[in-house]
Amino acid sequence: MSDDGHVHNGQGNGSVPSRQRRRFPGISSRAYEHPADRSALVALRKLSGFDTVFKALSGLLPERSLRLLFLSDSVRVSDQQFAHLNDMLRDACYILDLEKVPPMYVTQDPQPNAMCIGLDEPIIVVSTGLVELLDEEEMRAVVGHEVGHALSGHAVYRTILLFLTNLALKVAWIPLGNLAVLAIVTALREWFRKSELSADRAGLLVGQDLRASMRGLMKIAGGNHLHEMNVDAFLQQAEEYEAGGDLRDSVLKILNVLPRSHPFTTVRAAELKKWAESRDHQRIMDGHYPRRDEDKDTSVSDSFRESATHYADHVKSSKDPLMKLVTDLAGGAGGLGGRVRRGFDGFTSPPPPKDQSPTDQPPTDQPPTDAPPRDEE
């Protein structure tokens, strides 16, 4: 590494690129965390005894069972097994200055997937489907993504989410108990979706190749058919998803995303490209970023204020019909009642009879005199 913080890898090792990349000594995860993710983590880290409480939960959580399961039925990455992944893992930890390299396993699963879990120590798991799908630089971004989870401390909360999701299934027969657990799971999923955006940024800091990150996300969405896909068209899908439809589609988007732990792939790609072009990313690449030794002095109120500002800006700039409606409500725009009715007409209004055009229908504020009485529901 040179004095300017750049890493020079010229040995031609197949798992460490020969191109020049920057290393980030002492970098805090706050540097790349999504504002909503960061505010939640800062608040949790400030809670007195928080770590102790979660350690106490370790007796209830299946963490030891998971570790034994991966040890017994997966392949542990090392110099002797999946050596190229082991080189990537150590390289990612070096770039992000993570002192202790977490253990990593490859598990047999055709679905492309990766995760970072654990209470005492994070462990990284990648599926064979993912290893076979991605090329070297795309995989480097994924490994950096998981190391970013480890650096941020996401593994603890991911493990809690897995436990509570399983618990929700077991207590589904308890009327109120299930609702309480589902409420917590829903909140954790919303946080975790934002944490995925944070980890995508960490993956970009490790690989420092936006095209590889984009390719990896496209492959996760559409398989190993890069010759049939185009980054610009893929990002156009995200824009169409954000702006298209009416209020009905906005509601359906919310319902679609609620059960997911990850944001939709096109949305992740668009968010990562936006961040890669931002001043925040450029400042990190220039060596100006928050350090880990400053984390204890971080203000919870400042973090929440930044998160609130981010959401306010997102609502204002969003092209989503529901977000536009919220903006108009805040600005006191007129004619909103008609817009809301029109937006939800597809949910409430039955189609006109085939032998009757819409203009032949009676006025909605006064039923026809020969109409039969309506049953009360």
Side-chain angles (χ1 to χ4, degrees), residues 315-316 322-336 339:
V315 170
K316 289 179 182 177
L322 183 58
M323 294 298 102
K324 286 183 177 180
L325 179 63
V326 171
T327 303
D328 290 344
L329 283 171
L336 290 175
R339 288 176 55 188

Side-chain angles (χ1 to χ4, degrees), residues 96 125 269 326 366:
L96 294 180
V125 182
V326 171
Q366 186 176 355

Side-chain angles (χ1 to χ4, degrees), residues 351-366:
K354 293 182 179 180
D355 58 348
Q356 182 183 30
S357 66
T359 54
D360 295 331
Q361 295 182 22
T364 56
D365 57 347
Q366 186 176 355

Side-chain angles (χ1 to χ4, degrees), residues 88-370:
M88 288 184 189
L89 177 61
R90 290 187 296 188
D91 175 65
C93 292
Y94 178 71
I95 294 290
L96 294 180
D97 198 18
L98 185 64
E99 293 182 4
K100 189 170 183 179
V101 179
M104 183 175 180
Y105 292 89
V106 176
T107 188
Q108 173 63 32
D109 185 351
Q111 289 293 328
N113 195 20
M115 61 180 174
C116 181
I117 58 174
L119 287 175
D120 295 323
E121 293 180 357
I123 60 174
I124 295 172
V125 182
V126 296
S127 70
T128 52
L130 191 67
V131 174
E132 293 164 3
L133 176 66
L134 304 182
D135 69 23
E136 189 171 290
E137 289 305 302
E138 295 157 8
M139 194 67 201
R140 185 182 311 284
V142 169
V143 173
H145 174 111
E146 299 305 327
V147 170
H149 276 313
L151 182 58
S152 288
H154 291 156
V156 173
Y157 316 114
R158 173 65 169 172
T159 307
I160 296 291
L161 178 57
L162 287 173
F163 170 72
L164 289 177
T165 302
N166 291 331
L167 181 63
L169 296 175
K170 293 178 181 179
V171 300
W173 59 276
I174 305 176
L176 295 180
N178 185 44
L179 289 176
V181 174
L182 284 178
I184 299 173
V185 168
T186 300
L188 274 174
R189 280 178 177 157
E190 168 59 18
W191 159 76
F192 197 78
R193 285 191 290 270
K194 297 301 184 291
S195 77
E196 285 299 306
L197 301 179
S198 299
D200 283 344
R201 297 173 179 182
L204 180 60
L205 291 178
V206 168
Q208 298 175 28
D209 184 346
L210 180 60
R211 291 173 300 176
S213 295
M214 292 289 115
R215 291 198 311 268
L217 289 170
M218 282 198 305
K219 282 185 176 181
I220 291 173
N224 193 13
H225 304 281
L226 278 180
H227 63 288
E228 298 284 355
M229 294 185 279
N230 177 275
V231 172
D232 292 334
F234 189 66
L235 293 172
Q236 180 63 36
Q237 288 182 227
E239 186 174 341
E240 184 178 337
Y241 171 80
E242 171 72 14
D246 51 24
L247 291 177
R248 293 167 295 172
D249 296 303
S250 298
V251 173
L252 292 174
K253 290 176 190 176
I254 296 172
L255 295 177
N256 284 340
V257 81
L258 278 179
R260 295 175 60 93
S261 61
H262 288 59
F264 292 116
T265 317
T266 58
V267 174
R268 289 173 63 183
E271 287 283 342
L272 184 60
K273 184 174 185 293
K274 186 188 304 181
W275 186 73
E277 296 170 348
S278 70
R279 189 177 175 213
D280 289 340
H281 176 255
Q282 187 58 53
R283 284 180 57 82
I284 295 174
M285 297 305 297
D286 290 339
H288 305 294
Y289 51 81
R291 261 61 176 182
R292 237 167 283 165
D293 55 12
E294 302 167 350
D295 285 349
K296 62 182 182 303
D297 301 321
T298 305
S299 167
V300 178
S301 59
D302 288 346
S303 298
F304 275 115
R305 192 177 302 113
E306 184 177 352
S307 178
T309 300
H310 167 82
Y311 275 114
D313 291 342
H314 173 72
V315 170
K316 289 179 182 177
S317 62
S318 176
K319 299 176 182 179
D320 182 84
L322 183 58
M323 294 298 102
K324 286 183 177 180
L325 179 63
V326 171
T327 303
D328 290 344
L329 283 171
L336 290 175
R339 288 176 55 188
V340 173
R341 285 194 300 272
R342 289 193 299 273
F344 287 101
D345 273 349
F347 282 139
T348 58
S349 300
K354 293 182 179 180
D355 58 348
Q356 182 183 30
S357 66
T359 54
D360 295 331
Q361 295 182 22
T364 56
D365 57 347
Q366 186 176 355
T369 55
D370 57 345

Side-chain angles (χ1 to χ4, degrees), residues 12-51:
N13 186 326
S15 299
V16 180
S18 59
R19 57 189 167 79
Q20 181 172 287
R21 289 176 301 149
R22 174 173 286 279
R23 182 176 180 249
F24 308 100
I27 189 172
S28 168
S29 58
R30 292 181 291 115
Y32 58 80
E33 284 164 354
H34 185 279
D37 175 24
R38 187 189 312 134
S39 62
L41 291 175
V42 167
L44 289 172
R45 290 164 184 157
K46 289 287 185 178
L47 286 178
S48 177
F50 173 76
D51 290 337

